[in-house]
Amino acid sequence: MGFSRKSNVIETLISALFLLGILSSCVAQCRDDRHAETIQFPALNCRKHSAVLTDFGGVGDGKTSNTAAFKAAIANLSQLAKDGGAQLIVPPGKWLTGSFNLTSHFTLFVHKDAVILGIQDESEWPLLPVLPSYGRGRDAPGGRFSSLIFGTNLTDVVITGNNGTLDGQGAYWWKKFKEEKLNETRPYMIEIMYSKQIQISNLTLVNSPSWNVHPIYSSDIIIQHLTILAPIDSPNTDGINPDSCTNTRIEDSFVVSGDDCIAIKSGWDQYGIRVNMPTKKVVIRRFTCISPDSATIALGSEMSGGIQDVRAENITAINTQSGIRIKTAVGRGAYVKDIYVRGMTMSTMKYVFWMTGSYSSHPDPGFDPKALPVIKGINYKDMVATNVTYSARLDGIKNDPFTDICISNVNIKLTEDPKELQWNCTDIQGVTNRVTPTPCASLPQKEIDCPFPEDSLPIEDVKLKTCSLY
Ligand SMILES: *[C@@H]1O[C@H](CO)[C@@H](O)[C@H](O)[C@H]1NC(C)=O
Ligand SMILES: *[C@@H]1O[C@H](CO)[C@@H](O)[C@H](O)[C@H]1NC(C)=O
Ligand SMILES: *[C@@H]1O[C@H](CO)[C@@H](O)[C@H](O)[C@H]1NC(C)=O
Ligand SMILES: *[C@@H]1O[C@H](CO)[C@@H](O)[C@H](O)[C@H]1NC(C)=O
Ligand SMILES: *[C@@H]1O[C@H](CO)[C@@H](O)[C@H](O)[C@H]1NC(C)=O
Ligand SMILES: *[C@@H]1O[C@H](CO)[C@@H](O)[C@H](O)[C@H]1NC(C)=O
Ligand SMILES: *[C@@H]1O[C@H](CO)[C@@H](O)[C@H](O)[C@H]1NC(C)=O
Ligand SMILES: *[C@@H]1O[C@H](CO)[C@@H](O)[C@H](O)[C@H]1NC(C)=O
Ligand SMILES: *[C@@H]1O[C@H](CO)[C@@H](O)[C@H](O)[C@H]1NC(C)=O
C-alpha cells in the first residue's frame, strides 16, 4: 500500500515533469513560429520595418551564392530609411556570399545559428580604389577588394546578432598572399567608411581574409561583445582597427589572431599627412587578446594623421608578443599623444612595454625624411605580468626622443630564462614609480601616480535602446 502510493507520487511527478518539458519546448517552438518575438537586443536605434533574407531569394544551403539576395534586400530596405528604417534578419542557415553594401538607418541581424560565408570567387568581390590616406593597397600597389560587409557615407548602421557568425573563409586569400599572387589588397571582414553612428556587436568573426573590423574616416562607433578568431599564423588578421576615426568605444570583446588584436591607425606617411585625419577619443575596456606574434593594442604603425586620447582599462593579454606597442618611423610625421592605460593583466609575454621608432615599412620612397613623429604623454599604470621575457624595449628616434612617459605600479615576473637587459631604452624620457624589475636610467623613479582622465568621453555616455525582432 505504502509502496504503491509512493509509486503513484513518482508517476505523477514524472508525468508532470514530462508535461513541463513539452510545454517549455512548445513555448520555445511556438515563439519561433511567431517569429521569435522574444529575441531582444541592444541597438543605437530600433527599426520600424523588418525583413528576412529569404524574402529576397536567399538560400541557406552553404552552396548557393546569396550576393544578389543581399543586394536586393538592402536595395529594397534602403527605401525605408526615411520611414523608421529597416532591419534585415539573416535566419539559421549557411549563407554563402560575396561583398555587399549596407545602407543608412539599417540593422543587419545575424541569428545565432546563421553563418555568413565569404565566397571564394573573386568576381563576387568588387574592386575599390586605394584609401586616400594610404596611397596604395597594403598587399599590392593596385586596388582593394571590397570587404565582405562594406558601407560608405552612411548614418546609423547596426551590425549585430545573438552571436551569429561571419566566416571569411580566409584560407584562399592567405595562400595567395603568401605565394605573392595578389595584384590587389585582400578584403577585410567589415569596413565602414565616411560614416557616423555605427554599432558592431554580438557576433563571432572567424577566418577573415585580412583585417576583421575596419572603421575609417568615421565617428561615433560602438563595438561590443565580439569574438574574433583566426589562426595565430594567419597573415594580417588584425582584430579591430579604428583608422582616422573620432569617438570609438570597444568593450567586452575577445580576439585570437595572427596580428594585432587592436591596431589604432590614421594613414601612412605622406598620404596620411595630406589627409590629416587623426584617430582620437578611443575607449577600450574589458578586452582580452591572444596573439603570440603581435600586440594586444598597437598604436600605428600607420599614424600619419595622428593618434590622440586613447583610454584603455581592464585589458587581459595571454600568450601575446607585447602589451601596448607604439610603432612609428621617420616619415610618418604627426603624433601619438595622451595615451592612458590602467588595469592590465598579462601572462606569457615576450615584451610588456614596446615602442619602436624604426618601423620601416613605407608606401613608397616618396616619404619625407624630415617628417618626424611626436610621441609624448604615454601613461601606463596598475599592471601585473607573469612569465615575461623582456620587461621593456623602448626605442625612440635619434634627435626625436619619445617624451613624457609615465609608468607606475607595475609588477613584472620573469620567465625561467629571461633576457639579461630587462629595460632597453634609447631616445626616451619619462618617469616611473613602484615598477619591478627596476627600469632603465632614462625613466628615473619619482613619487607619482600616473594620470588617467577622470571625465568620460562622449561615446561612453551613449546608451543603447532595447529593440526586438519582428
Ligand atoms: C520591395 O519594396 C517594395 C516597395 O518599394 C515592395 O512593394 C516590395 O514588395 C518589396 N520587395 C520584396 C521582395 O519584399
Ligand atoms: C559598394 O559601394 C561601392 C562604393 O559606392 C561600389 O564601388 C561597390 O561596387 C559597391 N559594392 C557592391 C557589392 O555593390
Ligand atoms: C562620401 O563622403 C566623402 C567624404 O565626405 C566624399 O568625398 C565622397 O564624395 C562621398 N561619396 C559618396 C558616394 O557620396
Ligand atoms: C550579447 O552578448 C552579451 C555578452 O555575452 C550577452 O550578455 C547578451 O545577452 C548578448 N545579446 C544578445 C542579443 O544575444
Ligand atoms: C559565441 O560563439 C563563439 C564561437 O562559437 C563562442 O566562442 C563564444 O563563447 C560565444 N559567445 C557567447 C556570448 O555565447
Ligand atoms: C597580376 O598581374 C600580372 C602582371 O600584370 C598578371 O600576369 C597576372 O595574371 C595577374 N594576376 C591576377 C591574379 O590577376
Ligand atoms: C575595471 O576593473 C576594476 C576592478 O575590478 C573595476 O572596479 C572597474 O569598474 C573596471 N572598469 C571598467 C571600465 O570596467
Ligand atoms: C612561459 O613562457 C614560455 C615562453 O617564453 C612558454 O614556453 C611557457 O609555456 C610559459 N609557461 C607558463 C607556465 O605559461
Ligand atoms: C637594445 O636596443 C638597441 C636599440 O634598439 C639594440 O640595438 C640592442 O641590440 C638592444 N640590446 C639588447 C641587449 O637587447
Short mmCIF file of all heavy atoms in Angstrom, two decimals, residues 351 355 358 390 392-396 419-427, ligand 9:
data_model
loop_
_atom_site.label_atom_id
_atom_site.label_comp_id
_atom_site.label_asym_id
_atom_site.label_seq_id
_atom_site.Cartn_x
_atom_site.Cartn_y
_atom_site.Cartn_z
N TYR A 351 57.35 40.86 -24.62
CA TYR A 351 57.59 42.20 -24.08
C TYR A 351 56.35 42.67 -23.35
O TYR A 351 55.24 42.50 -23.85
CB TYR A 351 57.80 43.22 -25.20
CG TYR A 351 58.92 42.93 -26.15
CD1 TYR A 351 58.66 42.31 -27.37
CD2 TYR A 351 60.23 43.31 -25.85
CE1 TYR A 351 59.69 42.05 -28.26
CE2 TYR A 351 61.26 43.06 -26.74
CZ TYR A 351 60.99 42.42 -27.94
OH TYR A 351 62.01 42.16 -28.81
N MET A 355 58.10 50.06 -27.65
CA MET A 355 57.95 51.23 -28.53
C MET A 355 59.01 51.11 -29.60
O MET A 355 60.18 50.85 -29.28
CB MET A 355 58.17 52.53 -27.75
CG MET A 355 57.19 52.74 -26.62
SD MET A 355 57.47 54.35 -25.81
CE MET A 355 56.37 54.16 -24.41
N SER A 358 61.52 52.75 -35.41
CA SER A 358 62.13 52.44 -36.71
C SER A 358 61.31 51.38 -37.45
O SER A 358 61.85 50.44 -38.00
CB SER A 358 63.55 51.93 -36.49
OG SER A 358 63.48 50.80 -35.62
N TYR A 390 61.16 39.95 -21.83
CA TYR A 390 61.75 41.28 -21.69
C TYR A 390 60.71 42.19 -21.04
O TYR A 390 59.58 42.24 -21.53
CB TYR A 390 61.98 41.95 -23.03
CG TYR A 390 62.97 41.38 -23.99
CD1 TYR A 390 62.59 40.38 -24.88
CD2 TYR A 390 64.26 41.91 -24.07
CE1 TYR A 390 63.49 39.90 -25.82
CE2 TYR A 390 65.15 41.43 -25.02
CZ TYR A 390 64.77 40.43 -25.89
OH TYR A 390 65.64 39.97 -26.82
N ALA A 392 60.85 45.59 -21.06
CA ALA A 392 60.58 46.73 -21.94
C ALA A 392 61.67 46.89 -22.98
O ALA A 392 62.86 46.76 -22.68
CB ALA A 392 60.49 48.01 -21.12
N ARG A 393 61.23 47.21 -24.16
CA ARG A 393 62.15 47.63 -25.20
C ARG A 393 61.59 48.93 -25.75
O ARG A 393 60.53 48.93 -26.40
CB ARG A 393 62.24 46.56 -26.28
CG ARG A 393 63.15 47.01 -27.36
CD ARG A 393 63.61 45.91 -28.25
NE ARG A 393 64.48 46.51 -29.25
CZ ARG A 393 65.06 45.85 -30.21
NH1 ARG A 393 64.87 44.56 -30.32
NH2 ARG A 393 65.83 46.48 -31.08
N LEU A 394 62.27 50.01 -25.45
CA LEU A 394 61.73 51.33 -25.75
C LEU A 394 62.74 52.07 -26.63
O LEU A 394 63.74 52.58 -26.13
CB LEU A 394 61.45 52.09 -24.45
CG LEU A 394 60.57 51.34 -23.42
CD1 LEU A 394 60.47 52.12 -22.12
CD2 LEU A 394 59.18 51.06 -23.98
N ASP A 395 62.48 52.08 -27.93
CA ASP A 395 63.40 52.71 -28.89
C ASP A 395 62.75 53.95 -29.46
O ASP A 395 61.84 53.84 -30.31
CB ASP A 395 63.68 51.77 -30.08
CG ASP A 395 64.29 50.45 -29.67
OD1 ASP A 395 64.87 50.37 -28.58
OD2 ASP A 395 64.16 49.49 -30.47
N GLY A 396 63.19 55.11 -29.03
CA GLY A 396 62.74 56.35 -29.65
C GLY A 396 63.49 56.58 -30.96
O GLY A 396 64.09 55.66 -31.51
N LYS A 419 65.77 37.65 -20.51
CA LYS A 419 66.92 38.37 -21.08
C LYS A 419 67.62 39.13 -19.97
O LYS A 419 66.98 39.62 -19.03
CB LYS A 419 66.45 39.33 -22.16
CG LYS A 419 65.87 38.62 -23.37
CD LYS A 419 66.93 37.83 -24.12
CE LYS A 419 66.23 36.87 -25.08
NZ LYS A 419 67.12 35.97 -25.78
N GLU A 420 68.92 39.28 -20.14
CA GLU A 420 69.70 39.93 -19.09
C GLU A 420 69.33 41.41 -19.00
O GLU A 420 69.12 41.95 -17.91
CB GLU A 420 71.19 39.77 -19.42
CG GLU A 420 72.05 39.83 -18.18
CD GLU A 420 73.49 39.56 -18.55
OE1 GLU A 420 73.78 38.45 -19.07
OE2 GLU A 420 74.33 40.47 -18.32
N LEU A 421 69.26 42.09 -20.15
CA LEU A 421 68.94 43.52 -20.16
C LEU A 421 67.41 43.64 -20.18
O LEU A 421 66.79 43.54 -21.23
CB LEU A 421 69.55 44.19 -21.39
CG LEU A 421 69.34 45.69 -21.50
CD1 LEU A 421 69.92 46.43 -20.30
CD2 LEU A 421 69.91 46.24 -22.80
N GLN A 422 66.80 43.84 -19.01
CA GLN A 422 65.33 43.85 -18.94
C GLN A 422 64.70 45.13 -19.49
O GLN A 422 63.63 45.09 -20.05
CB GLN A 422 64.88 43.60 -17.50
CG GLN A 422 64.83 42.13 -17.15
CD GLN A 422 63.83 41.39 -18.03
OE1 GLN A 422 62.70 41.81 -18.20
NE2 GLN A 422 64.26 40.28 -18.60
N TRP A 423 65.37 46.25 -19.28
CA TRP A 423 64.84 47.52 -19.80
C TRP A 423 65.86 48.07 -20.77
O TRP A 423 66.90 48.56 -20.37
CB TRP A 423 64.59 48.51 -18.65
CG TRP A 423 63.40 48.16 -17.81
CD1 TRP A 423 63.34 47.17 -16.88
CD2 TRP A 423 62.11 48.78 -17.84
NE1 TRP A 423 62.08 47.13 -16.32
CE2 TRP A 423 61.31 48.13 -16.88
CE3 TRP A 423 61.55 49.84 -18.56
CZ2 TRP A 423 59.98 48.48 -16.64
CZ3 TRP A 423 60.23 50.20 -18.32
CH2 TRP A 423 59.46 49.52 -17.37
N ASN A 424 65.57 48.00 -22.04
CA ASN A 424 66.48 48.51 -23.05
C ASN A 424 65.89 49.79 -23.61
O ASN A 424 64.91 49.76 -24.35
CB ASN A 424 66.67 47.44 -24.15
CG ASN A 424 67.75 47.85 -25.13
OD1 ASN A 424 68.32 48.95 -25.04
ND2 ASN A 424 68.03 46.97 -26.08
N CYS A 425 66.45 50.93 -23.22
CA CYS A 425 65.86 52.23 -23.56
C CYS A 425 66.82 53.06 -24.38
O CYS A 425 67.97 53.24 -23.98
CB CYS A 425 65.51 52.98 -22.28
SG CYS A 425 64.51 52.04 -21.10
N THR A 426 66.34 53.59 -25.49
CA THR A 426 67.14 54.56 -26.24
C THR A 426 66.24 55.69 -26.70
O THR A 426 65.13 55.44 -27.20
CB THR A 426 67.80 53.92 -27.50
OG1 THR A 426 66.84 53.09 -28.14
CG2 THR A 426 69.02 53.11 -27.17
N ASP A 427 66.70 56.92 -26.55
CA ASP A 427 65.97 58.11 -27.02
C ASP A 427 64.55 58.19 -26.44
O ASP A 427 63.58 58.43 -27.19
CB ASP A 427 65.93 58.15 -28.57
CG ASP A 427 67.33 58.13 -29.16
OD1 ASP A 427 68.11 59.04 -28.83
OD2 ASP A 427 67.65 57.19 -29.92
C1 LIG B 9 68.89 47.38 -27.08
O1 LIG B 9 68.25 48.18 -28.05
C2 LIG B 9 69.14 48.63 -29.06
C3 LIG B 9 68.39 49.63 -29.89
O2 LIG B 9 67.22 49.09 -30.43
C4 LIG B 9 69.62 47.42 -29.83
O3 LIG B 9 70.47 47.82 -30.88
C5 LIG B 9 70.36 46.49 -28.89
O4 LIG B 9 70.70 45.31 -29.55
C6 LIG B 9 69.50 46.13 -27.69
N1 LIG B 9 70.32 45.45 -26.73
C7 LIG B 9 69.98 44.27 -26.19
C8 LIG B 9 70.98 43.69 -25.26
O5 LIG B 9 68.92 43.70 -26.45
#
